[in-house]
């Protein structure tokens, strides 16, 4: 089992050692812009808790944390008026998923036709 890396970039954003502009924050989650956007809208959503990836989160987090996380994504969809135009959610996980930062994050991409996967 892989241990959570306390020094990963997103851990440093959560503990405020690294500054970033927070777009939206809820009790258990935060959202901020990706530093290297791949679309006009490219937001990262992360839980504040120490979860490496999707399965880790679903297996260990409370229902409140999980609900809070997905509702924050839903709020971002609403405030950006993406319900009609559409968007893409991506969560890279582990080695074969080419996950770079070992703290769970969902990419919310939108603002143009994103092409096929
Ligand atoms: P992944 O490959 O799914 O782990 O994606 C990691 C994402 O984090 C990449 O899209 C990076 O551009 C993004 N990223 C890395 N460092 C920062 C940072 N300091 N602030 C915002 N986004 C970052």
């Amino acid at each position: 089992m892989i241990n959570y890396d306390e020094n990963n970039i997103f851990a440093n954003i959560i503990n405020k050692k690294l500054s970033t502009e927070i777009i939206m924050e809820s009790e258990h989650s935060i959202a901020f812009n990706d530093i290297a956007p791949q679309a006009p809208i490219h937001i990262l959503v992360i839980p504040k808790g120490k979860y490496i990836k999707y399965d880790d989160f679903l297996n260990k987090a409370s229902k409140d944390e999980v609900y809070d996380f997905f509702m924050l994504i839903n709020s971002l969809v609403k405030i950006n008026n993406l319900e009609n135009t559409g968007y893409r959610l991506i969560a890279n996980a582990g080695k074969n998923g080419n996950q770079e930062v070992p703290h769970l994050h969902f990419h919310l991409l939108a603002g143009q036709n994103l092409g096929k996967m």
Side-chain angles (χ1 to χ4, degrees):
M1 201 187 95
I2 300 163
N3 290 322
Y4 181 80
D5 169 12
E6 302 279 346
N7 280 318
N8 77 75
I9 299 167
F10 297 164
N12 286 323
I13 286 176
I14 293 163
N15 65 29
K16 307 213 187 309
K17 281 187 193 160
L18 194 67
S19 79
T20 193
E21 193 184 335
I22 304 292
I23 296 175
M24 201 180 264
E25 179 165 8
S26 56
E27 186 180 358
H28 298 293
S29 319
I30 57 176
F32 50 92
N33 282 319
D34 195 292
I35 205 168
Q38 303 296 309
I41 294 173
H42 187 170
I43 299 169
L44 297 175
V45 185
I46 66 174
K48 293 179 185 173
K50 298 173 182 177
Y51 305 108
I52 300 171
K53 54 191 172 70
Y54 186 76
D55 53 290
D56 191 35
F57 183 52
L58 270 289
N59 289 331
K60 294 182 190 158
S62 67
K63 286 183 180 166
D64 273 359
E65 287 173 286
V66 173
Y67 184 75
D68 177 284
F69 181 78
F70 287 108
M71 288 311 285
L72 185 64
I73 296 177
N74 193 42
S75 298
L76 289 162
V77 167
K78 278 190 195 149
I79 63 156
N80 287 288
N81 294 310
L82 303 178
E83 293 103 324
N84 294 329
T85 49
Y87 53 92
R88 179 172 288 155
L89 288 171
I90 298 174
N92 296 320
K95 192 168 147 235
N96 283 356
N98 279 277
Q99 181 180 6
E100 280 173 34
V101 181
H103 181 109
L104 172 69
H105 49 284
F106 268 58
H107 299 252
L108 172 61
L109 298 144
Q112 67 183 28
N113 189 318
L114 299 161
K116 294 210 179 271
M117 276 285 291

